């Protein structure tokens, strides 16, 4: 039996929710689970275990070819009144059932039991956010999206953009109102390429932590890489957007004495 230790690259650096900004993912692996090191153990002649692996899964689900990660640090438990129409249900729970070679399919979820119903979240398109098990799951990858506006249903819904610490994720300061508006205006038309394309350019770079707070009080993290001029959400920025981010970052850090 070979024992694998799965690394959480998770909703964190890869989805923009709770990362350090320095995580690196081995090429060819899926961000929801990554086998890191193999530690050989004596091979038993017989074993009842279906998978000789110990895996830590990111809390994700997949429906309609869209992969979602739980937004654990920018949302709260969802009330019944916030649920929209049913959009699917879980048909397979990976935790303690799937092995490292499992290919993610529609209906898969890391920790939600089979039969868990998945709902739209009122106020947002289901391509951006859904609700399952009382938790909000936010898009990580949508192969049908052509732009960031099609990926993130946030147009007209943003309250502010903020700068966070790359060390502990704490708030450093907010963009000015004008800069927040300009950030969203520049971000949404960007072509959506997906994480893999960005990873090719930014895998060895330390990112700038940004948080986008929406008008309903929820938020999500975005990580921006200046040298690659790219976001882990799956887009490459314009020069105007790069200048805006770096200028606001410098001003906020100076005001905070950093």
């Amino acid at each position: 039996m070979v024992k694998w230790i799965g690394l959480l690259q998770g909703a964190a650096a890869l989805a923009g929710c709770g990362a350090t900004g320095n995580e690196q993912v081995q090429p060819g692996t899926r961000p929801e689970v990554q086998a890191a090191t193999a530690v050989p153990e004596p091979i038993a002649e017989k074993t009842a275990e279906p998978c000789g692996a110990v895996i830590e899964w990111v809390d994700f689900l997949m429906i309609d070819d869209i992969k979602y990660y739980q937004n654990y640090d920018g949302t709260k438990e969802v009330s019944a009144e916030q649920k929209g129409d049913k959009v699917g249900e879980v048909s397979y729970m990976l935790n303690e059932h799937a092995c490292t070679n499992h290919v993610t399919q529609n209906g898969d979820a890391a920790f939600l039991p089979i039969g868990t119903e998945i709902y739209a979240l009122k106020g947002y398109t289901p391509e951006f956010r859904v609700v399952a098990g009382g938790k909000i799951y936010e898009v990580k990858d949508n192969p049908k999206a052509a732009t960031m506006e099609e990926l993130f249903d946030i147009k007209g819904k943003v309250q502010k953009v903020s700068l966070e610490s790359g060390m502990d994720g704490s708030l450093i300061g907010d963009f000015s109102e004008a800069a927040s508006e300009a950030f969203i205006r520049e971000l949404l038309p960007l072509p959506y390429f997906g994480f893999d394309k960005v990873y090719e350019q930014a895998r060895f770079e330390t990112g700038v932590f940004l948080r986008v707070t929406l008008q309903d009080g929820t938020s999500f993290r975005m990580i921006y890489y200046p040298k690659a001029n790219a976001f882990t959400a799956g887009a490459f920025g314009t020069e105007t957007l790069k200048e805006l981010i770096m200028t606001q970052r410098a001003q906020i850090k100076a005001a905070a004495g950093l």
Side-chain angles (χ1 to χ4, degrees):
M1 179 178 70
V2 175
K3 183 177 180 181
W4 294 85
I5 307 297
L7 293 183
L8 275 176
Q9 300 298 338
L14 312 182
C17 301
T20 65
N22 296 318
E23 288 86 343
Q24 297 173 8
V25 181
Q26 296 301 318
T29 60
R30 304 185 310 282
E32 64 267 20
V33 59
Q34 177 170 323
T37 55
V39 183
E41 294 182 352
I43 300 176
E45 293 183 2
K46 295 181 180 181
T47 176
E49 295 181 3
C51 172
V54 177
I55 306 171
E56 281 190 49
W57 298 100
V58 171
D59 192 355
F60 81 99
L61 61 84
M62 179 170 167
I63 56 170
D64 196 25
D65 298 325
I66 301 174
K67 189 174 294 180
Y68 304 82
Y69 282 8
Q70 185 205 353
N71 183 338
Y72 65 89
D73 68 344
T75 62
K76 298 180 180 179
E77 187 170 350
V78 180
S79 65
E81 293 75 20
Q82 292 176 279
K83 291 182 181 178
D85 295 334
K86 180 180 175 181
V87 294
E89 66 177 51
V90 176
S91 56
Y92 183 63
M93 184 176 75
L94 278 66
N95 189 43
E96 298 184 352
H97 296 95
C99 204
T100 54
N101 61 351
H102 176 78
V103 178
T104 307
Q105 304 176 42
N106 288 324
D108 283 0
F111 301 108
L112 300 172
I114 293 174
T116 300
E117 296 180 325
I118 304 168
Y119 297 91
L121 177 66
K122 289 183 179 178
Y124 300 99
T125 63
E127 289 80 13
F128 175 49
R129 283 178 170 177
V130 295
V131 178
K135 300 178 289 186
I136 292 177
Y137 289 81
E138 199 166 85
V139 64
K140 161 63 176 70
D141 178 59
N142 181 359
K144 303 172 187 177
T147 65
M148 293 299 284
E149 184 171 354
E150 293 180 9
L151 185 75
F152 291 146
D153 178 24
I154 60 174
K155 187 174 184 179
K157 302 173 183 178
V158 175
Q159 180 187 125
K160 64 179 179 179
V161 178
S162 306
L163 177 70
E164 293 185 334
S165 167
M167 300 298 293
D168 58 12
S170 60
L171 174 68
I172 299 176
D174 298 331
F175 282 28
S176 69
E177 182 177 348
S180 290
E181 292 175 356
F183 175 89
I184 299 301
R185 189 167 58 248
E186 287 286 323
L187 175 74
L188 294 183
L190 297 178
Y192 173 68
F193 293 100
F195 169 76
D196 289 343
K197 288 289 185 181
V198 169
Y199 171 74
E200 293 174 5
Q201 302 296 321
R203 55 181 169 173
F204 300 119
E205 187 180 349
T206 299
V208 176
F209 280 32
L210 305 174
R211 181 164 296 276
V212 178
T213 300
L214 306 180
Q215 292 174 350
D216 63 3
T218 62
S219 65
F220 62 92
R221 176 174 289 162
M222 299 188 71
I223 301 178
Y224 173 72
Y225 294 96
K227 292 180 181 178
N229 194 5
F231 298 88
T232 48
F236 294 92
T238 62
E239 287 303 313
T240 298
L241 188 54
K242 179 178 182 178
E243 182 178 359
L244 185 152
I245 293 169
M246 301 311 290
T247 298
Q248 288 293 301
R249 177 176 181 261
Q251 291 176 356
I252 292 169
K253 292 186 71 173
L258 298 176

